[in-house]
Amino acid sequence: MTSTPNDVLQLISSIDDIDEFVSDIKKRRSVKEARHIQRMIRAFAKKMLLVTKEKFSVPPLYRKLFGDAAAKYIVLKGGRGSGKTFAIICYMLEQSFDEKYRDSLFLILREIQNSIEDSVYSVVVDLVKQAGLEAYFKITNNKVINKLTNVEFAFTGLRATGGKTAFSQVNKIKGKHKVRMVFMDEAQDASEDSLNVLFPTVNRSGQVSFTAEYERLLRLAFGEDDVDVTEARFFFAMNPNFAEDPIITKVRTFGENARIEHINIFDLPARYQDPQLLAQAKAEMGEVYYDHVWLGKPSPKISGYPFMETPVVQADDGDESPPCTAFLDVSYKGGDFTSLSFVTQVRGYVFAWGRCWHQAWNHVVEEIVDELNKHSWMEFYYEDNGVGSAPQDYFAVHGVDAIPRTTLGDKHDRIFRVGAYLNLMRLRFVSTWCCQTWLSHTLKFNKEAEYDDAPDSLTNAAIRAGIVSDKMKIRGRR
């Protein structure tokens, strides 16, 4: 008995268990015939795997969105477990087999990427392997290339962490040719400056103009419908920091070519939901970070800016400050700031204010004392890490009792934890008694801030005042 490809196709579509069918052929007919059919089935299956347009099980709502040809700029925002990153990468891998993208570049970006480990490179490689497509991709230490179409997946950051080379990486993109797809992960971190370089750079077509006669011959040779793809598509995955992150504001300007969708794990059909993540979401309901992490709601406090949404109030003229606790974060040589913070709790609110000096602490002792004397402080603490008892002697000359305290542990971890709890306790900044530097450094503090002295002294003051413990586990209110 001989079998044609059509016979194999009919077999595959008519039986449920190929192995069971082949086993039955061995028993009722011959081993040779069974092996022949099995080889044909495998060869046919490999061919079909390659040509199948939709190779991955992507949630239908994502599939529909990606299939919208008019959607050149797509932003997927939402909480954890919604599959945003996986859906976009799966789609890009599928599209890399399309001839219209031959020899093009698919860029996968992050705002800051110091090494390949910071990127989603490992996710791309894992998906290629899970789909059994390793034979069709060349995988190097920092690139993934489709061997059939020569589509290259490149991974890069848009900028360095700071200094003169801050935008050296985004400028390198200007040299990239024929970029046809761009995916930016963690797009809530994208800066406006980076986006202003990215969009006009990538949107260059890289297309050459031909004479009318040569273009006519090209179309005769390759067909009228074989149109070169010249427009890049942009995909962004994010969990928003603010209601208007730079990426949201920028993409919205593209009008009818833009799609901004908010999708959470709970919006997916059951088969696409991860049971373990769902259980974790249920267990964390009520935590102060729940709405941001699982529902994808904007949260400057939790996503990196613990004081950005803290209300700023003014004291009336002639108002005196209530009894308060003061804490001094010292600068040794003036490279950072010497920061003095005051904290008090009145009628269910926490009030804070402070002042900064871009000088070493021992150069501004008199100014610190003047600031202390403006307010009704009960206790004055200072951070003695590295300075020992010297400030006690300096301030004692002015009749001020300075109490040394050693701060231990991760400073930023303390700022985020204590800051979140203070905001739950209705923290307010009193601008009347602040200098602009202290207020600005506190409101705009995040993990990449150049100066953290003001929020450091603020949270230490709150701890010393007994308003909050640095060992507190922060939970939200039910």
Side-chain angles (χ1 to χ4, degrees), residues 209-245:
S209 295
F210 299 109
T211 63
E213 177 61 18
Y214 188 70
E215 187 170 340
R216 185 182 72 81
L217 292 173
L218 284 173
R219 293 193 174 275
L220 286 173
F222 297 107
E224 291 290 332
D225 297 328
D226 188 12
V227 180
D228 180 40
V229 178
T230 59
E231 289 188 301
R233 294 192 77 183
F234 293 81
F235 300 87
F236 302 91
M238 65 182 297
N239 193 342
N241 290 330
F242 309 101
E244 283 292 321
D245 279 294

Side-chain angles (χ1 to χ4, degrees), residues 95-311:
Q95 293 298 299
S96 74
F97 286 93
D98 196 318
E99 274 296 316
K100 68 183 179 182
Y101 292 114
R102 175 170 288 280
D103 298 325
S104 63
L105 183 66
F106 287 8
L107 276 179
I108 299 182
L109 307 173
R110 281 199 172 182
E111 175 71 2
I112 295 177
Q113 179 181 308
N114 295 317
S115 68
I116 196 69
E117 286 77 18
D118 296 333
S119 72
V120 293
Y121 165 84
S122 60
V123 177
V124 175
V125 173
D126 285 346
L127 287 173
V128 167
K129 292 178 179 178
Q130 289 176 35
L133 297 172
E134 292 170 88
Y136 306 107
F137 286 90
K138 178 182 178 182
I139 299 173
T140 70
N141 291 333
N142 58 5
K143 293 180 182 178
V144 177
I145 302 170
N146 189 311
K147 295 178 183 178
L148 300 182
T149 58
N150 203 38
V151 169
E152 177 185 325
F153 290 77
F155 307 83
T156 188
L158 289 178
R159 65 182 176 92
T161 53
K164 296 180 179 179
T165 61
F167 293 97
S168 59
Q169 290 173 269
V170 71
N171 287 328
K172 290 179 182 177
I173 294 177
K174 294 178 180 179
K176 303 290 186 184
H177 180 70
K178 206 173 180 181
V179 178
R180 293 296 176 259
M181 282 198 183
V182 177
F183 168 40
M184 186 172 191
D185 195 29
E186 304 293 346
Q188 70 273 5
D189 296 329
S191 67
E192 186 176 357
D193 289 332
S194 295
L195 297 175
N196 286 340
V197 175
L198 174 66
F199 284 115
T201 298
V202 172
N203 275 322
R204 294 178 305 170
S205 68
Q207 193 177 30
V208 205
S209 295
F210 299 109
T211 63
E213 177 61 18
Y214 188 70
E215 187 170 340
R216 185 182 72 81
L217 292 173
L218 284 173
R219 293 193 174 275
L220 286 173
F222 297 107
E224 291 290 332
D225 297 328
D226 188 12
V227 180
D228 180 40
V229 178
T230 59
E231 289 188 301
R233 294 192 77 183
F234 293 81
F235 300 87
F236 302 91
M238 65 182 297
N239 193 342
N241 290 330
F242 309 101
E244 283 292 321
D245 279 294
I247 188 62
I248 297 292
T249 303
K250 195 73 175 178
V251 167
R252 192 175 280 124
T253 64
F254 294 111
E256 60 185 29
N257 292 131
R259 304 288 185 273
I260 301 174
E261 299 290 336
H262 193 120
I263 302 169
N264 296 318
I265 186 173
F266 314 105
D267 301 320
L268 301 178
R271 64 169 297 208
Y272 296 103
Q273 295 174 337
D274 185 321
Q276 186 174 348
L277 287 180
L278 283 173
Q280 185 177 349
K282 183 177 180 180
E284 294 180 357
M285 188 174 293
E287 295 281 3
V288 69
Y289 52 77
Y290 179 84
D291 284 357
H292 174 67
V293 173
W294 295 105
L295 301 183
K297 292 184 179 180
S299 178
K301 294 185 292 294
I302 302 305
S303 55
Y305 296 81
F307 301 105
M308 179 63 79
E309 292 183 333
T310 301

Side-chain angles (χ1 to χ4, degrees), residues 321-326 342-353 376 378 421-428 430 433 458 461-469 472 477:
S321 64
C324 55
T325 298
F342 299 87
V343 173
T344 188
Q345 191 169 19
V346 180
R347 296 176 183 175
Y349 289 87
V350 175
F351 294 96
W353 61 96
S376 305
M378 298 179 296
Y421 193 77
L422 287 174
N423 277 290
L424 286 176
M425 298 181 70
R426 298 191 288 186
L427 175 66
R428 301 291 186 268
V430 187
W433 302 327
L458 163 63
I463 292 169
R464 298 307 164 196
I467 295 172
V468 60
S469 167
M472 182 73 68
R477 293 177 178 174

